[in-house]
Amino acid sequence: MRAARYYGRNDIRIDELPEPEVGPGMVGIDVAWCGICGTDLHEYLEGPIFCPTPDTPHPISGETAPVTMGHEFSGVIYELGDGVGDLRVGQHVVVEPYIIGEDVDTGPESKDYHLSRDMNFIGLAGGGGGLGEKIAVRRRWVHPVSDVVPLDQAALIEPLSVGYHAAERSGAKAGDVAVVGGAGPIGLLTAAVLKALSVTVIVSELSPLRRQKALDTGVADYALDPREVDVAQEVRRLTNGKGADVAFECTSVQVVLDTLMDVLRPTGVLVVVSIWGKRADFDMHKLVMKEIDLRGTIAYVNSHPATIELVESGKIDLAPFITGKIGVDGLVEEGFETLIHRNETAVKILVSPSGKGL
């Protein structure tokens, strides 16, 4: 089978690999669609961050570079390993792409397995990836999805789960006002979750296409261009001088972080969702004087079932966020280069590793 492999910074190659073995307790999946994530772009431009190096194996997966990329994916079960009796061949699924130690409690009541020692992700630290034609995954991380959800849309359930967990971390509730800094895929999907919770959403975004996408999809009540308006001043105007209750940093850009500190009301909550490849310059005095609650968030924890229900019930429509579909041969030129240099033209680009569906 063919797969996109990460060798190192600015070095991704399409390799021929043997198909994975579907061992006991594993599920064999024909990958339908895989999204290109901002984390993938960070690895390409600045990495390795989550990916192992050629000389240093990941402590859980044991793999070194090159590794198959891709962690936002959907597919169809083609084989069940011994001991897996609650799924069926032909079933549509998505993957919660964790690499976590065997000694960690990943049960349904756990709220912290995603913070365990050496935690990493399938498609970054090994374990195969969604940018290969097939993958074998432990049953624990496989989530069935109703056939009423098209497989291309199902590929967005993983990033939507990031937004779900971020919203959960914020404590946002119906009637609150939230500002989302950055209307890339994660920002838009976080906004979608917030709207499903009946939160008023204000998006700040430079790209006209992404601002319009936020409005057209209904995930934002207001979409502001920070080049045209003073975002903090406009948020205070829209909230009768109060300021926002919660804010979400979804860009890893310093000026956005600074702006969100200003938009929040005293005792507001600021959630940092994006992956930062560098240190930030933080106004600690402002945090103290406004008693802002600063929270980090990483990925998700037992978030997939509730996220899938939001999609299956029709409360969130993922179709409008898909702005491009490509084959794996175009991954770098049509995918990565577009999202790095022309990101104002795209939101979520999906890859078909097999070429089916294009």
Side-chain angles (χ1 to χ4, degrees):
M1 70 173 194
R2 304 175 76 223
R5 307 269 282 169
Y6 179 86
Y7 281 76
R9 188 177 304 176
N10 296 312
D11 189 0
I12 295 173
R13 310 175 198 176
I14 310 303
D15 291 341
E16 287 284 346
L17 300 175
E19 293 185 3
E21 179 181 343
V22 182
M26 305 286 283
V27 179
I29 301 168
D30 278 317
V31 177
W33 297 99
C34 183
I36 301 173
C37 175
T39 304
D40 299 327
L41 303 182
H42 281 293
E43 293 289 344
Y44 181 67
L45 293 172
E46 304 160 356
I49 301 169
F50 289 98
C51 292
T53 69
D55 304 315
T56 307
H58 184 264
I60 299 176
S61 74
E63 295 187 44
T64 57
V67 290
T68 301
M69 297 192 75
H71 58 278
E72 303 179 352
F73 59 96
S74 63
V76 180
I77 296 175
Y78 71 87
E79 185 178 344
L80 299 172
D82 289 346
V84 180
D86 60 338
L87 298 174
R88 56 178 171 78
V89 171
Q91 197 164 13
H92 290 189
V93 293
V94 295
V95 170
E96 183 180 350
Y98 274 128
I99 295 173
I100 288 178
E102 295 288 345
D103 60 339
V104 176
D105 175 14
T106 62
E109 303 304 317
S110 173
K111 296 298 182 184
D112 61 1
Y113 61 75
H114 66 313
L115 305 176
S116 57
R117 182 181 178 88
D118 297 320
M119 177 280 294
N120 213 301
F121 299 92
I122 295 168
L124 287 168
L131 287 171
E133 294 183 53
K134 296 177 182 289
I135 188 172
V137 181
R138 284 177 53 198
R139 168 64 185 92
R140 165 61 184 88
W141 306 120
V142 178
H143 296 273
V145 178
S146 169
D147 291 0
V148 303
V149 180
L151 283 167
D152 57 349
Q153 295 177 39
L156 273 66
I157 285 172
E158 191 275 349
L160 185 65
S161 296
V162 174
Y164 182 92
H165 181 56
E168 195 173 43
R169 286 279 294 147
S170 77
K173 60 187 184 302
D176 281 350
V177 175
V179 176
V180 177
I186 293 298
L188 288 169
L189 294 174
T190 299
V193 174
L194 293 167
K195 286 307 299 179
L197 297 173
S198 299
V199 172
T200 297
V201 177
I202 303 168
V203 163
S204 175
E205 168 60 48
L206 291 173
S207 164
L209 178 143
R210 291 180 170 187
R211 285 198 309 276
Q212 196 60 47
K213 182 68 71 175
L215 294 172
D216 290 346
T217 56
V219 303
D221 299 279
Y222 308 92
L224 308 179
D225 182 346
R227 292 168 299 196
E228 301 293 332
V229 300
D230 181 318
V231 173
Q233 183 176 320
E234 185 66 8
V235 170
R236 285 191 291 272
R237 186 187 72 80
L238 292 170
T239 57
N240 296 316
K242 176 185 172 185
D245 300 291
V246 294
F248 298 82
E249 196 292 298
C250 300
T251 64
S252 68
V253 173
Q254 181 66 51
V255 68
V256 176
L257 182 64
D258 294 339
T259 298
L260 295 180
M261 289 285 287
D262 290 335
V263 305
L264 283 167
R265 63 168 171 80
T267 72
V269 175
L270 174 55
V271 181
V272 178
V273 187
S274 61
I275 300 296
W276 285 65
K278 57 188 181 303
R279 292 178 67 90
D281 179 19
F282 199 76
D283 190 340
M284 198 63 69
H285 182 70
K286 190 171 292 183
L287 178 138
V288 170
M289 296 306 294
K290 293 177 73 173
E291 291 196 353
I292 286 174
D293 190 344
L294 177 64
R295 302 177 185 178
T297 180
I298 179 68
Y300 25 71
V301 55
N302 277 317
S303 309
H304 275 66
T307 304
I308 290 168
E309 194 279 329
L310 285 175
V311 177
E312 290 180 342
S313 67
K315 292 179 181 176
I316 294 178
D317 179 12
L318 293 171
F321 302 109
I322 301 169
T323 55
K325 292 180 177 180
I326 62 175
V328 73
D329 287 319
L331 178 64
V332 173
E333 291 300 321
E334 299 174 61
F336 280 39
E337 293 296 323
T338 296
L339 294 171
I340 292 167
H341 299 296
R342 300 177 295 280
N343 68 359
E344 74 282 356
T345 68
V347 178
K348 179 59 69 176
I349 296 175
L350 298 182
V351 182
S352 170
S354 67
K356 295 177 182 177
L358 293 174

